Amino acid sequence: MKPSGLGIIELFRKQSYFHAMNKSITQTAQYDKQISKSIKRFFTRFHVSSALKASNAYKKKGVPVMEIFQYLFLLIFSNRSMYMNLITGRNTPDFAKDTVYRFMKMIQINWIRFTTILSTRIIRDAILPLNSEDRANVLIIDDSMFERNRSKKVELLAKVYDHAKHKYRFGFRMLTLGWSDGSTFLPVNSVLLSTENRKNRINEATEVDKRTVGYKRKEYLCLISTDVNLDENEILRIYGKRWDIEVFFKACQSYLNLHPSNAKHR
């Protein structure tokens, strides 16, 4: 029995659909391989493994920290969550999801030290060799709103006043230190700050071993100095470079799906 005209059209549509799906899956797999290779080259060039070890991010047994860290990078730059990655079965790791959760909860890791070491290597080895010695380099400090409106049990969660929206939000103040030469901006480190006002704190801090980095991070001291020998025009020119940090926040929001900052409101 020969298929009718409508049956032939439906069959053609199904074949076209499956062909498009297979092509899409193939392209996605190739894209994931390219991202994975780029991440491995970056990790090798800037010795990420030694930076992690210097920041107490290492394990005496079990899955190596580098494997977990590379997997987290792959998730971010492939725009997928760990849940969806496990559901689809693409790039499924050789370790369980609980291994990732335990790694992310390791309070002995000094992430501020890690990002500082890594950014220093990138600036020294990849950016400064391309710049002239006359170019002025600056450090930029800025704070922005880090919203956690859906969170309920986060440690030190607080009601924080958002100066951009002129109202209180659940979350933290994110204090960020960045480096810029006027053309390139690179985040050095950042920290989430709660509030000293107990009435505005939703949750208090849990008991933490005083020997760990998590305990030592609770107090901060910021020292700022200015060069009084600079004239007004030079001060304005250098200060203008701080706008790079706003562009950085916007890029994180657009490309990495991170939490929004005040950059989009200014």
Side-chain angles (χ1 to χ4, degrees), residues 34-52:
Q34 291 177 352
I35 294 177
S36 181
K37 289 181 180 179
S38 298
I39 291 174
K40 289 181 180 179
R41 285 197 299 268
F42 176 85
F43 277 34
T44 301
R45 179 180 181 184
F46 298 107
H47 308 286
V48 174
S49 178
S50 65
L52 285 169

Side-chain angles (χ1 to χ4, degrees), residues 93-154:
D94 296 329
F95 43 84
K97 61 181 181 180
D98 290 341
T99 303
V100 180
Y101 293 147
R102 286 194 296 268
F103 169 73
M104 296 176 67
K105 291 180 180 179
M106 292 171 65
I107 59 176
Q108 72 267 24
I109 301 177
N110 191 334
W111 290 113
I112 294 179
R113 177 182 294 176
F114 170 75
T115 56
T116 303
I117 293 173
L118 182 59
S119 60
T120 300
R121 292 176 180 176
I122 295 173
I123 294 169
R124 181 193 63 201
D125 300 337
I127 302 177
L128 289 183
L130 304 177
N131 290 349
S132 66
E133 297 181 356
D134 298 331
R135 184 183 289 271
N137 304 319
V138 297
L139 291 174
I140 305 168
I141 300 177
D142 188 68
D143 70 326
S144 59
M145 184 69 192
F146 189 87
E147 295 184 16
R148 294 297 298 269
N149 287 319
R150 297 182 180 180
S151 301
K152 295 181 179 180
K153 298 182 180 180
V154 176

Side-chain angles (χ1 to χ4, degrees), residues 31-247:
Y31 180 66
D32 288 346
K33 288 182 180 179
Q34 291 177 352
I35 294 177
S36 181
K37 289 181 180 179
S38 298
I39 291 174
K40 289 181 180 179
R41 285 197 299 268
F42 176 85
F43 277 34
T44 301
R45 179 180 181 184
F46 298 107
H47 308 286
V48 174
S49 178
S50 65
L52 285 169
K53 189 173 183 180
S55 307
N56 295 327
Y58 60 89
K59 298 169 64 177
K60 294 182 179 179
K61 60 181 180 179
V63 181
V65 168
M66 276 291 290
E67 289 187 19
I68 304 173
F69 205 55
Q70 286 182 2
Y71 174 67
L72 291 174
F73 261 64
L74 179 61
L75 290 180
I76 292 174
F77 287 98
S78 60
N79 196 24
R80 286 200 299 270
S81 65
M82 183 168 61
Y83 172 78
M84 289 304 299
N85 196 57
L86 294 173
I87 291 296
T88 58
R90 291 200 300 266
N91 294 320
T92 304
D94 296 329
F95 43 84
K97 61 181 181 180
D98 290 341
T99 303
V100 180
Y101 293 147
R102 286 194 296 268
F103 169 73
M104 296 176 67
K105 291 180 180 179
M106 292 171 65
I107 59 176
Q108 72 267 24
I109 301 177
N110 191 334
W111 290 113
I112 294 179
R113 177 182 294 176
F114 170 75
T115 56
T116 303
I117 293 173
L118 182 59
S119 60
T120 300
R121 292 176 180 176
I122 295 173
I123 294 169
R124 181 193 63 201
D125 300 337
I127 302 177
L128 289 183
L130 304 177
N131 290 349
S132 66
E133 297 181 356
D134 298 331
R135 184 183 289 271
N137 304 319
V138 297
L139 291 174
I140 305 168
I141 300 177
D142 188 68
D143 70 326
S144 59
M145 184 69 192
F146 189 87
E147 295 184 16
R148 294 297 298 269
N149 287 319
R150 297 182 180 180
S151 301
K152 295 181 179 180
K153 298 182 180 180
V154 176
E155 184 183 30
L156 292 177
L157 181 70
K159 290 192 298 183
V160 183
Y161 187 74
D162 188 341
H163 295 280
K165 297 179 180 179
H166 303 290
K167 57 183 177 181
Y168 281 91
R169 293 280 188 176
F170 289 147
F172 305 90
R173 301 300 301 180
M174 184 171 69
L175 187 65
T176 302
L177 172 67
W179 176 94
S180 177
D181 60 0
S183 299
T184 302
F185 175 82
L186 190 69
V188 176
N189 56 54
S190 62
V191 65
L192 296 179
L193 304 177
S194 185
T195 177
E196 292 183 347
N197 189 347
R198 289 182 175 271
K199 294 181 179 179
N200 288 339
R201 285 207 295 265
I202 309 302
N203 300 316
E204 294 297 329
T206 57
E207 292 293 329
V208 179
D209 190 336
K210 294 183 179 181
R211 297 170 296 178
T212 63
V213 177
Y215 178 83
K216 296 177 182 178
R217 286 182 189 153
K218 292 183 179 180
E219 296 183 0
Y220 302 92
L221 177 63
C222 183
L223 300 178
I224 302 175
S225 63
T226 57
D227 189 346
V228 296
N229 296 320
L230 296 176
D231 60 36
E232 293 84 352
N233 293 330
E234 183 66 7
I235 292 175
L236 290 174
R237 186 184 71 82
I238 294 177
Y239 181 76
K241 295 184 178 184
R242 74 167 299 280
W243 181 251
D244 290 340
I245 199 170
E246 306 291 353
V247 179

